Amino acid sequence: MKSYLSVIALMFCGVIGVSACSTPPSANDIANTIDKASIPTPRLLKTIDLTDLGSTSAVKKMTFSPDGRYLAIVDNPTVMKTDIVVWDMQLNKEQSHIHCPYDYGDLGDHDLLWSRNGMVISFGAKRQWNPMTGEALPDNPAVGRAARLNKDGSKMLTIAGAIGEPSYIYVYDTNNWALQKVYVDGFSVITAAWTAEDKVLVGVMMTKETFGKELDGRVVSHGEDTALRLLDPTGKTPTKTVWFPAKPTEDPKSFTYTYSIGAVGVTNFVTNQIFYSSGNVIDGDTLKIHRYSAYDQNDNAPGAFGMALSPNGRLLFLKGASFKNGGNHKPIKNSIVNVTSGKPLVEFSGAMDHQGGLAISPDGAQLALGDAHSVQIFSIR
C-alpha cells in the first residue's frame, strides 16, 4: 500500500447527461467571458458536523449527486476503513450511512462516482451501494483502479495491471458493462483521464517489455523515461506521445525523472484540458503543457489538497491548507483560478485542514470543502 501511494503522490457541453457539442469552445473563448462581475465570492452557508463518526475520523473527499440534491462524503473512521455519509442538502440531514472495510479514502486516485441516474455510488470497480438507503448492491463486473467517468457518464475507464507491469485501459459501457480492452504497448499506466473527445490521456512509466524498444518514434533507453500518451479507444486516430527523457545525475551511471506523471487530475470537458494536482495543465488535443498557479508563492502542488472545476468550465477551485504541523510552510488559502491564464483570481478562507477534498454542485451554486470532522458549504453565486 505504501509503495502504491508513493507512486500516485508524485462542463454548456460537459455536464453529465448533456450531449457533446461538435466543436467545444476553446480556452480563449472562455477567457473572454470572464470579467470581474462573474467571479464568485464564496460565502459560508452552513457546516455539516460529522464529529459523531469518532475522534480519529477524517473527511477525505466528496462528490455531489447528478441532480445536486445529495452530497456523498467519504470519511476514514479508522485506519484502513471507509465510511460514506450521503447528506440531503435540501433537508439538511443524513440520508444514509455506508460502512466499507477498504481504505478508499486515502487513495487519491479513487474518486467516488455517481451513476447517471443517481441510484448507484461506487469507487468504480466491484463494490457499489444504493445511496438512498445505504444498502450494498451486487458487485459490478469491473476490475482495475482509478476509475473515471467520461463527460456524459456513459463510459467508465479503469487502469488494469500492477504498478510497474504492462497495463491495459479497460473501458466499460456503464449501461451494460460491456468491456473494451486497450493495450498500452507494454507501458505501465500510472494515471488516466478522459478528454472531452472521449479519448484517454495516460501517464506511463517504462517496464521490462518496453526497455530497448522503439515506441512512438523513440527508443526507450532508461527506466526513468516517462511519457504522456493520448489514446483513441475507437482506433480512428493514431496515438500521440510526449516523451520526458531521463535526466542524468552527478553519478554518470544514475538517472532521474524529469516529469512527474503520477499527479491526480480532473478534466475540464468544456475546454478539453486536464488539470493536474502538480500544477500542470495538459491540452487534451495537442498535449501541450502549461502551468496554473495558486497563492502559494512557491507554487507547490497547488491542487494537491483538493480541486474542482466550475460547470461552465471557466474557473478552477483549489483547496488550501493550514499545515498545522508547523515547519516552514505558510498557510495556503483556498483560491479560484482562471482556467485560461492559469492565474489566481480570488482567495478565501475556510476549511483549512489539508485533507477533506472539494466538490462543486452541478448547477455551480454551491461549493463543499472538507475540514477534518466537518464539511463547510459555501454559496458561489
Side-chain angles (χ1 to χ4, degrees), residues 11-13 24-35 38 268-273 275 309-316 337-341:
M11 121 195 12
F12 13 173
C13 304
S26 69
N28 286 332
D29 293 334
I30 298 299
N32 293 333
T33 66
I34 298 177
D35 55 33
S38 68
N268 189 332
F269 288 119
V270 178
T271 62
N272 200 16
Q273 298 169 292
F275 287 79
L309 290 148
S310 61
N312 61 16
R314 302 173 184 175
L315 303 171
L316 174 70
V337 172
N338 183 321
V339 301
T340 306
S341 69

Side-chain angles (χ1 to χ4, degrees), residues 219-243:
V219 175
V220 179
S221 55
H222 297 95
E224 293 79 14
D225 289 345
T226 58
L228 290 170
R229 306 184 87 220
L230 185 62
L231 314 175
D232 184 356
T234 69
K236 294 179 180 179
T237 57
T239 296
K240 291 183 181 179
T241 304
V242 176
W243 287 95

Side-chain angles (χ1 to χ4, degrees), residues 67-80:
D67 64 1
R69 173 162 178 170
Y70 302 96
L71 178 66
I73 304 164
V74 179
D75 183 277
N76 281 151
T78 58
V79 177
M80 302 300 292

Side-chain angles (χ1 to χ4, degrees), residues 144-179:
R145 66 185 188 276
R148 294 290 186 273
L149 295 173
N150 68 343
K151 57 190 170 187
D152 65 3
S154 64
K155 298 177 182 178
M156 183 182 80
L157 68 77
T158 65
I159 304 171
I163 299 294
E165 298 294 327
S167 303
Y168 282 83
I169 295 296
Y170 282 7
V171 178
Y172 293 92
D173 184 318
T174 56
N175 291 311
N176 56 20
W177 296 105
L179 169 62

Side-chain angles (χ1 to χ4, degrees), residues 135-136 161 203 239 304 323:
E135 174 189 10
T239 296
F323 300 107

